[in-house]
Amino acid sequence: RGEYYYLFVSFDMCCRGVRSTYNIRVGRSASVTGPYVDERGELLTRGGGEVVLGSIGRVRGPGHNSVLQQGDQYYLVHHYYDADDQGRSKLQIRPIVWIEDWPTAGEPLGAGD
């Protein structure tokens, strides 16, 4: 996007249901081969990364993400554990909102999400 390449990663502990600490982070680079850094200049390989989506409300441990582009709109596709449904794993799609050239997750699409 623009002059940067963005790398979205799943970070921390997965597969523990509602106790998962998974979150989705992003870094960017002027080169597709990196290095990828966050807004503070910290390397993703050293634990850096801007949090795009973490646990919030019923959404726990979001991760295993992918980015879909349709025209000018980007979407974040990911799974999460639903704290309101016995920790069942579910799929969620959110528009990506760009704030000063950094992505963040918008509100989920679809009723009841």
Side-chain angles (χ1 to χ4, degrees):
R1 181 172 189 270
E3 62 188 66
Y4 293 103
Y5 295 91
Y6 291 83
L7 178 64
F8 291 75
V9 299
S10 298
F11 186 86
D12 223 352
M13 302 297 275
C14 172
C15 309
R16 296 181 176 178
V18 297
R19 294 175 307 168
S20 295
T21 57
Y22 233 19
N23 60 85
I24 300 169
R25 296 185 184 193
V26 69
R28 72 181 185 187
S29 176
S31 170
V32 71
T33 58
Y36 286 86
V37 298
D38 62 22
E39 199 168 9
R40 297 168 305 283
E42 293 185 47
L43 293 166
L44 265 65
T45 56
R46 300 265 171 110
E50 296 299 316
V51 176
V52 175
L53 183 63
S55 294
I56 183 169
R58 67 189 264 195
V59 175
R60 304 292 171 86
H64 289 98
N65 65 97
S66 185
V67 174
L68 169 69
Q69 180 182 4
Q70 289 187 316
D72 291 336
Q73 179 63 58
Y74 293 84
Y75 296 94
L76 182 67
V77 181
H78 65 93
H79 84 75
Y80 70 99
Y81 299 101
D82 190 337
D84 291 347
D85 191 14
Q86 301 175 357
R88 287 188 172 90
S89 183
K90 296 186 178 178
L91 174 73
Q92 197 168 67
I93 302 172
R94 294 171 175 257
I96 293 176
V97 178
W98 295 88
I99 301 172
E100 297 182 20
D101 291 328
W102 286 97
T104 189
E107 292 300 314
L109 303 178
D113 289 331

